[in-house]
Amino acid sequence: HPLILHLPIGVLALAYLLEGYMFWKKDIDRGIQQIILLFAAVSATLSVGTGLLLVRGGDYSGDLVANHKWVAIGLAAICWALVFLSKKGNGKAYYLTLVSSAIMLVVTGHLGGSLTHGEDFLFDNGELAVTPNIEEAYLYTDIIVPIIKDKCVSCHNPSKLKGELNMTSPEHLTAGGENGKIILIDALADSPLLKRIHMPMSMDEHMPPEGKKQLSDEEIKLLEWWITSGAEYDKRVVETQDYDAHKDI
């Protein structure tokens, strides 16, 4: 699905450019546009089909997924309508449908991007990242949460539950996923989360998975510090175990 979904985007973009060019050059044969629109309709249908198969795998759920699915299906239907209308001529219905397809394409792309990168992947609530005062900072809230949001939440959120694991809140982190808890309070150093971030990239269990933005060495050390010092959610940095050894990371 991630490979095929770019086809209708590119083909429709080409159709819009060609339509704009033909608006000024009235004597151009519209046969090429009909072929492009047919290719857009076929690729959009394939993209919807592979997306539905992806949803059936169980890793995606929630309102965001449902909205993306139905808007994408609507876009595919509009593409087929464009194929039909293009054969009837370039009248008002054709142009209205063409504009509608552009709007649907933008909405579908935004919803898909939100599923892949998180719902705030464009604007992040308009907030600027601020380095906290180390004397006042909380280890989990101010240090660990930004790492989790940047490297983990795109695959482990209410809309995309890889391994049935949600990492968007302390409660969900504590609960773990389909393979059990990822942080073992009674054996912190053996926590599956720590083991997975240290696995070779070639292993399927390595986190983040290959192809995703990887943790830096500093981020790994910070996660280790948080977990081995108790994986607590309400402790200030200066109150944690081995603060002096980690304060310069």
Side-chain angles (χ1 to χ4, degrees), residues 42-217:
V42 171
S43 60
T45 302
L46 288 174
S47 182
V48 168
T50 55
L52 292 174
L53 290 175
L54 195 59
V55 171
R56 289 190 63 183
D59 289 334
Y60 294 86
S61 62
D63 292 340
L64 185 59
V65 174
N67 292 338
H68 179 57
K69 177 180 71 175
W70 289 113
V71 174
I73 290 173
L75 176 60
I78 286 178
C79 287
W80 284 109
L82 282 171
V83 173
F84 174 78
L85 291 171
S86 67
K87 295 178 180 179
K88 299 294 183 180
N90 55 338
K92 183 177 181 179
Y94 170 78
Y95 287 118
L96 285 174
T97 306
L98 192 68
V99 171
S100 297
S101 72
I103 295 172
M104 294 285 277
L105 181 63
V106 171
V107 175
T108 306
H110 176 70
L111 293 172
S114 297
L115 281 172
T116 303
H117 305 292
E119 294 189 52
D120 57 355
F121 79 106
L122 283 181
F123 300 107
D124 196 20
N125 300 322
E127 298 176 1
L128 295 175
V130 178
T131 302
N133 182 335
I134 197 65
E135 300 297 329
E136 300 294 332
Y138 287 86
L139 181 54
Y140 172 74
T141 304
D142 296 317
I143 308 297
I144 300 303
V145 167
I147 297 173
I148 291 175
K149 286 183 65 176
D150 188 39
K151 304 293 173 66
C152 308
V153 167
S154 64
C155 288
H156 301 288
N157 61 75
S159 296
K160 185 180 181 182
L161 285 172
K162 275 297 231 186
E164 297 296 320
L165 175 62
N166 185 348
M167 299 182 70
T168 59
S169 72
E171 293 77 17
H172 290 110
L173 276 172
T174 301
E178 66 180 3
N179 294 319
K181 295 184 181 298
I182 62 171
I183 300 173
L184 305 178
I185 299 302
D186 296 329
L188 293 165
D190 295 324
S191 295
L193 178 57
L194 285 182
K195 290 183 177 181
R196 284 176 175 266
I197 65 178
H198 282 294
M199 285 180 178
M201 184 82 70
S202 58
M203 297 184 67
D204 291 338
E205 293 82 5
H206 170 81
M207 300 300 288
E210 187 175 5
K212 293 288 186 178
K213 191 160 51 170
Q214 297 298 305
L215 292 162
S216 67
D217 290 341

